């Protein structure tokens, strides 16, 4: 642009000379150089921070589709490079094993729901068994007391008395065992979860919910509106719920990130909300409106990662990396969702400073838009 304005000045000098409005002397001879320096000092150097510009690129998030369950693919209804909506089926994993598990756990839940009644009946059985053992204990003790009296009268022998004593000991142990079984039955009946339900029912319901989750996720759906970039998946392929290998590369079209690289010494007045313009090589001859969303907090050379290596500052001082300024698309002529990832061009930001230079920058942006037809 500065060369173009200088050439215009030179053409004007020749026109004035041809009209004999001026005579060439030393001043007019070196005036193009003076004009060039004047433009730099008054317009183009201040424009670098009053209306900074830099290369811009459009980024897309690529989601690696990894199924939540493992199994054999039975159907792949989606087609590559065709737009799909959120919730559309990408591929289907054989649901038969998961359906069988759901049916099994539904039966287990019904069984668990009957457990409180069964446990209550177990308590009654244990109470009856304990009562029977106590009755046997009372009878054995009575027989032992009678046997002691007969032994003192030497009616029965020592061996017979020991037999009555063993019967009493067995009866006592039967009572202890019956009491323990009754206590266990009462504990199982009283076992409830935090929500007041029996623990067996809660466990069965949670297992059923997990099985239903696996069955639902046997149908893999699109996480958002987007496009399947490439599709090598075919029916018969076995997929696994492992993040090391994705089944489909899915391009999310709901989140468009546009970033322009601004040199560090030109970033001083850039702030969110300022107006911006974008020209893209994909749309030659057109200039689009945008707004500044924010400035990234770090460059690639400014991040610190866990390692045993001390950061080297010399390379970063040799060439300062530009910062990314994130832009929000603000032009209704083209939907931001239709911008292709990897689209490049140039963007300019118009700050509140040195506004006289904005006209020059706008002209330069439109010149660049038309040059995109050629290069």
């Amino acid at each position: 642009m500065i060369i173009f304005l200088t050439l215009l000045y030179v053409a004007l000098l020749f026109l004035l000379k041809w009209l004999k409005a001026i005579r060439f002397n030393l001043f007019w001879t070196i005036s193009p150089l003076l004009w060039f320096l004047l433009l730099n000092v008054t317009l183009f150097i201040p424009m670098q921070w009053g209306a900074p510009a830099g290369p811009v690129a459009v980024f897309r998030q690529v989601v690696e589709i990894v199924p939540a369950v493992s199994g054999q693919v039975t159907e792949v209804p989606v087609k590559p490079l065709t737009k799909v909506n959120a919730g559309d089926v990408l591929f289907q994993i054989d649901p038969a094993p998961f359906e069988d598990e759901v049916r099994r756990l539904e039966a287990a839940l019904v069984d668990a729901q009957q457990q409180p009644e069964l446990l209550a009946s177990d308590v009654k059985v244990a109470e009856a068994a304990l009562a029977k053992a106590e009755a046997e204990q009372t009878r054995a003790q009575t027989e032992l007391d009678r046997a002691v009296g007969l032994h003192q009268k030497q009616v029965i022998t020592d061996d017979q008395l020991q037999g009555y004593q063993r019967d009493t000991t067995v009866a006592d142990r039967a009572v202890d065992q019956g009491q323990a079984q009754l206590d266990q039955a009462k504990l199982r009946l009283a076992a409830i979860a935090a929500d007041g339900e029996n623990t067996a029912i809660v466990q069965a319901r949670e297992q059923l919910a997990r099985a239903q989750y696996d069955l639902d996720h046997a149908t893999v759906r699109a996480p958002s509106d987007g496009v399947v970039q490439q599709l090598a998946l075919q029916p018969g392929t076995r997929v696994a719920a492992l993040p090391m290998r994705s089944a489909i590369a899915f391009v999310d079209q709901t989140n468009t990130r546009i970033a322009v690289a601004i040199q560090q010494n030109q970033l001083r007045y850039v702030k969110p909300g300022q107006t911006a313009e974008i020209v893209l090589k994909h749309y030659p001859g057109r200039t689009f409106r945008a707004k500044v969303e924010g400035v990234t907090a770090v460059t690639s050379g400014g991040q610190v990662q866990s390692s045993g290596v001390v950061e080297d500052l010399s390379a970063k001082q040799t060439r300062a990396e530009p910062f990314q300024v994130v832009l929000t698309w603000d032009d209704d002529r083209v939907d931001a969702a239709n911008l292709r990832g990897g689209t490049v061009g140039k963007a300019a930001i118009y700050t509140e400073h040195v506004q006289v230079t904005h006209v020059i920058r706008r002209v330069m942006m439109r010149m660049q838009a038309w040059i995109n037809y050629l290069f």
Side-chain angles (χ1 to χ4, degrees):
M1 185 64 179
I2 189 171
I3 296 176
F4 176 72
L5 293 177
T6 302
L7 291 176
L8 287 180
Y9 177 76
V10 172
L12 178 60
L13 284 181
F14 277 103
L15 178 62
L16 294 176
K17 177 65 173 64
W18 182 72
L19 295 175
K20 298 182 180 181
I22 61 172
R23 292 183 179 181
F24 273 114
N25 53 28
L26 180 61
F27 173 77
W28 292 114
T29 302
I30 65 173
S31 63
L33 178 60
L34 298 176
W35 173 256
F36 181 84
L37 294 175
L38 179 65
L39 289 177
N40 269 289
V41 173
T42 60
L43 288 179
F44 286 94
I45 293 178
M47 184 175 62
Q48 303 307 312
W49 62 79
V56 70
V58 178
F59 297 93
R60 287 279 178 207
Q61 290 184 342
V62 178
V63 182
E64 295 186 356
I65 303 298
V66 178
V69 296
S70 302
Q72 187 173 4
V73 177
T74 58
E75 184 182 3
V76 185
V78 71
K79 296 181 180 180
L81 303 181
T82 302
K83 184 176 180 179
V84 297
N85 298 320
D88 288 351
V89 177
L90 297 180
F91 60 92
Q92 175 69 54
I93 299 174
D94 185 7
F98 308 106
E99 292 172 345
D100 294 342
E101 183 68 7
V102 168
R103 286 192 291 269
R104 185 185 71 82
L105 291 175
E106 285 176 343
L109 178 60
V110 173
D111 181 68
Q113 290 172 339
Q114 297 174 350
Q115 287 299 313
E117 297 179 2
L118 295 175
L119 293 175
S121 64
D122 289 344
V123 171
K124 293 180 181 179
V125 171
E127 288 175 344
L130 177 61
K132 181 180 179 181
E134 290 175 343
E136 289 293 330
Q137 182 187 38
T138 301
R139 184 192 64 78
Q141 186 63 45
T142 301
E143 291 291 333
L144 177 62
D145 293 341
R146 187 178 66 84
V148 169
L150 294 176
H151 182 267
Q152 291 176 350
K153 296 177 181 180
Q154 297 182 352
V155 176
I156 60 175
T157 63
D158 293 341
D159 293 338
Q160 291 175 323
L161 177 62
Q162 292 177 357
Y164 284 110
Q165 290 175 341
R166 285 195 296 271
D167 292 342
T168 302
T169 302
V170 171
D172 292 341
R173 292 178 179 177
V175 170
D176 294 339
Q177 183 179 3
Q179 185 63 52
Q181 292 176 345
L182 177 60
D183 293 341
Q184 291 177 358
K186 288 181 177 180
L187 286 174
R188 287 194 295 269
L189 179 61
I192 58 174
D195 55 2
E197 288 189 293
N198 185 273
T199 53
I201 298 176
V202 174
Q203 291 176 1
R205 184 178 291 115
E206 293 297 329
Q207 291 174 353
L208 177 60
R210 176 63 189 183
Q212 187 63 53
Y213 174 87
D214 292 342
L215 176 60
D216 294 340
H217 284 77
T219 303
V220 181
R221 302 181 182 275
S224 62
D225 296 346
V227 173
V228 175
Q229 178 70 16
Q230 57 187 12
L231 183 64
L233 190 66
Q234 297 295 325
T237 305
R238 182 170 181 83
V239 294
L242 297 174
M244 295 179 293
R245 184 176 181 181
S246 60
I248 289 178
F250 182 81
V251 181
D252 185 355
Q253 288 189 317
T254 61
N255 186 10
T256 304
R257 179 183 174 89
I258 306 172
V260 53
I262 301 297
Q263 296 297 328
Q264 297 187 16
N265 61 335
Q266 302 174 11
L267 198 64
R268 67 184 78 174
Y269 298 128
V270 175
K271 59 184 179 181
Q274 292 174 337
T275 303
E277 285 186 331
I278 300 174
V279 295
L280 300 173
K281 292 184 179 295
H282 189 59
Y283 296 95
R286 305 178 70 176
T287 305
F288 300 101
R289 298 183 301 273
K291 288 187 179 298
V292 176
E293 180 179 337
V295 182
T296 55
V298 67
T299 66
S300 62
Q303 61 181 340
V304 177
Q305 299 178 347
S306 298
S307 68
V309 180
V310 179
E311 295 295 329
D312 181 15
L313 297 179
S314 59
K316 299 177 177 59
Q317 292 290 342
T318 303
R319 184 181 181 277
E321 291 185 76
F323 277 88
Q324 286 190 19
V325 178
V326 181
L327 303 179
T328 301
W329 192 261
D330 193 29
D331 202 307
D332 296 334
R333 293 175 295 171
V334 175
D335 189 355
N338 294 329
L339 295 176
R340 302 178 185 275
T343 301
V344 297
K346 189 173 183 179
I349 300 171
Y350 302 106
T351 70
E352 294 79 11
H353 296 77
V354 202
Q355 296 186 10
V356 67
T357 63
H358 292 184
V359 176
I360 302 297
R361 179 62 77 185
R362 291 181 186 276
V363 173
M364 294 176 64
M365 292 294 292
R366 280 149 184 81
M367 290 176 59
Q368 181 64 51
W370 290 102
I371 291 175
N372 286 338
Y373 275 111
L374 303 176
F375 304 101

